[in-house]
Amino acid sequence: MLLGGIADDLTGAVELAGMLAAGGMRVALVLDDAPIPSGQDAVVVALPSRVAPVAEARDGFARAADALLGAGARMLFFKYCATFDSTPQGNIGPCADLLMERTGAPFTLFAPSFPEAERRVFMGHLFVGAQLVSNSPKRFDPLTPMTEPDLVKVLAAQTARRVGLLPLPVVAQGEAAVARHASTLREAGLSYAIADAATEEDLATLARASWDWPLATGGSNLAAHYPPIWREKGLLAPAAALPPARAGGHGAVLAGSCSDRTREQVAHFAGHHPVLRIDLARLETPAAALREAAGWALPRLERGPVCITTAGDPQAVAAAQARLGREGAARAAEELLGGLARALVAAGARRLLVAGGETSGAVIRALGIARLTVAPYVSPGIGLCAAEAPEPLALCLESGKLGPVDMFGTVLERMRA
């Protein structure tokens, strides 16, 4: 196994696995503590750790790292969000510390840049398009608001290890310059460096400098540059193309993300299909809400796709959190949408699009799915995969912040057998 990936949410895991599959690798994706399959070039473990308590997140990473290293992984890769989603307490720093201990790595880079989705790092500062992340809608995220754009500061607040910067002028000089700079930082007592990257060429340079490290971290498109390098080194053979993720049966959307993009996608879908909006601030009991939503959705499935969403604007989110608490509101949405997923599948839905990283994890776990077959990466936000149990399903799991406005309807149709 060339790469053992650990992602801090399910949509990130799907994206990472899809990037590796697009590079011709045999890839399996497993959830939580499911067994690590053999015969793979890469295995990606999806953990619900992004907003978990620090100790719980570290424990999950420890189990995943031990399982992947025990299965022979040459490199561990920590996949986190391109907007470096975390809280002041973690969990990027604490989980990276754990992986450093497990691998014995003396140094590693953090490269969250995703140029295709207009996420770039310059002089250690994270930009979303032309805006610093702290000026973007990401500052209103209900669970991981990003109000500090300097990622050196963000990471340094989460770890006792020293954090430095790998600036863009060094990256522009090529892999040898990156290796020299990393060595200089390591000799000065630093363990981590935030890597600037503005283009795919920058990420390719970082990949060429780190392809044989025991530990790397970053966005999925850093890892996307490893397969051709490994093939060039004679470590990777071509793999057979995977079949597309398609299924018959009804289609449905479950949207838990409160991002601007998800709300735009819901509004577009509502122009063509039925949409049920659930206001968490007015939730009576989860059981009653589940009965009401299922009673609304199931009779409509025969006539075409439906969407059920708990997404709201910042004012609605604030009202829900005021009533239920930040964690309570998130948990209520995840439990409700997970229960609806079970009801939809029982009624014959076989194509599900789930918007939101935590929502996707909650839905997949509610359905009892432990392993996914991931289709090769297509574009940001479109993470296509298939599950064989408990029912054959075609799934699109998206982060909630990405994807075209019209993707709900087009992707559901694309997944039709």
Side-chain angles (χ1 to χ4, degrees), residues 19-82:
M19 290 273 192
L20 298 173
M25 297 186 78
R26 297 168 297 168
V27 188
L29 189 156
V30 299
L31 276 74
D32 306 334
D33 296 320
I36 303 297
S38 61
Q40 305 294 318
D41 299 316
V43 176
V44 179
V45 180
L47 297 175
S49 61
R50 181 170 297 170
V51 295
V54 171
E56 180 182 319
R58 279 179 56 94
D59 287 347
F61 266 67
R63 293 192 301 273
D66 290 345
L68 291 166
L69 292 171
R74 292 167 58 107
M75 167 194 277
L76 293 187
F77 188 88
F78 177 10
K79 161 62 173 85
Y80 39 75
C81 185

Side-chain angles (χ1 to χ4, degrees), residues 98 161 164 196 202 262 266 370 373:
L98 184 283
R161 295 174 183 264
D196 282 357
D202 296 333
T262 295
V266 169
T373 300

Side-chain angles (χ1 to χ4, degrees), residues 38-392:
S38 61
Q40 305 294 318
D41 299 316
V43 176
V44 179
V45 180
L47 297 175
S49 61
R50 181 170 297 170
V51 295
V54 171
E56 180 182 319
R58 279 179 56 94
D59 287 347
F61 266 67
R63 293 192 301 273
D66 290 345
L68 291 166
L69 292 171
R74 292 167 58 107
M75 167 194 277
L76 293 187
F77 188 88
F78 177 10
K79 161 62 173 85
Y80 39 75
C81 185
T83 45
F84 217 66
D85 288 17
S86 55
T87 69
Q89 294 74 38
N91 287 322
I92 294 176
C95 291
D97 290 344
L98 184 283
L99 296 180
M100 291 283 277
E101 296 163 9
R102 286 299 200 269
T103 60
F107 181 87
T108 198
L109 298 174
F110 290 75
S113 292
F114 195 166
E116 187 179 2
E118 298 193 329
R119 273 66 168 162
R120 298 178 174 88
V121 179
F122 177 66
M123 297 310 291
H125 287 64
L126 178 61
F127 287 81
V128 176
Q131 296 179 310
L132 287 166
V133 67
S134 53
N135 293 332
S136 77
K138 182 65 186 150
R139 69 188 187 275
F140 298 123
D141 190 294
L143 295 177
T144 54
M146 288 296 290
T147 57
E148 173 54 71
D150 186 340
L151 298 189
V152 175
K153 289 183 178 178
V154 172
L155 184 58
Q158 299 180 19
T159 176
R161 295 174 183 264
R162 294 177 61 194
V163 183
L165 174 67
L166 178 60
L168 194 60
V170 173
V171 177
Q173 293 174 43
E175 61 186 287
V178 170
R180 287 194 300 270
H181 192 83
S183 179
T184 299
L185 293 175
R186 186 171 63 247
E187 290 170 2
L190 281 71
S191 299
Y192 298 143
I194 300 294
D196 282 357
T199 66
E200 288 296 330
E201 288 73 19
D202 296 333
L203 290 170
T205 296
L206 297 175
R208 287 193 296 270
S210 61
W211 68 269
D212 59 348
W213 290 8
L215 174 65
T217 88
S220 55
N221 57 330
L222 170 62
H225 290 282
Y226 288 131
I229 298 171
W230 288 328
R231 193 165 286 115
E232 175 189 315
K233 304 293 182 182
L235 298 172
L236 179 64
L242 290 171
R246 292 179 180 166
H250 306 310
V253 176
L254 297 168
S257 168
C258 294
S259 70
D260 287 353
R261 176 44 53 102
T262 295
R263 289 187 284 113
E264 291 168 354
Q265 290 164 338
V266 169
H268 184 279
F269 189 81
H272 308 275
H273 303 284
V275 172
L276 175 65
R277 293 177 171 83
I278 299 173
D279 186 349
L280 295 177
R282 299 183 179 182
L283 197 67
E284 294 183 8
T285 67
L290 177 57
R291 284 195 302 271
E292 180 180 341
W296 175 90
L298 301 188
R300 290 173 167 81
L301 284 176
E302 293 286 349
R303 299 193 293 274
V306 300
C307 171
I308 304 100
T309 179
T310 56
D313 60 23
Q315 292 75 25
V317 170
Q321 291 181 342
R323 182 183 174 198
L324 302 172
R326 174 175 290 189
E327 293 183 2
R331 188 165 53 251
E334 290 165 13
E335 290 177 358
L336 177 56
L337 295 176
L340 280 167
R342 288 194 297 269
L344 289 165
V345 169
R350 296 293 181 267
R351 293 170 291 129
L352 295 180
L353 187 153
V354 188
E358 282 73 31
T359 307
S360 292
V363 165
I364 295 301
R365 290 176 179 87
L367 292 174
I369 296 170
R371 180 172 173 176
L372 293 166
T373 300
V374 179
Y377 173 80
V378 177
S379 62
I382 302 179
L384 299 175
C385 49
E388 294 303 320
E391 300 288 347

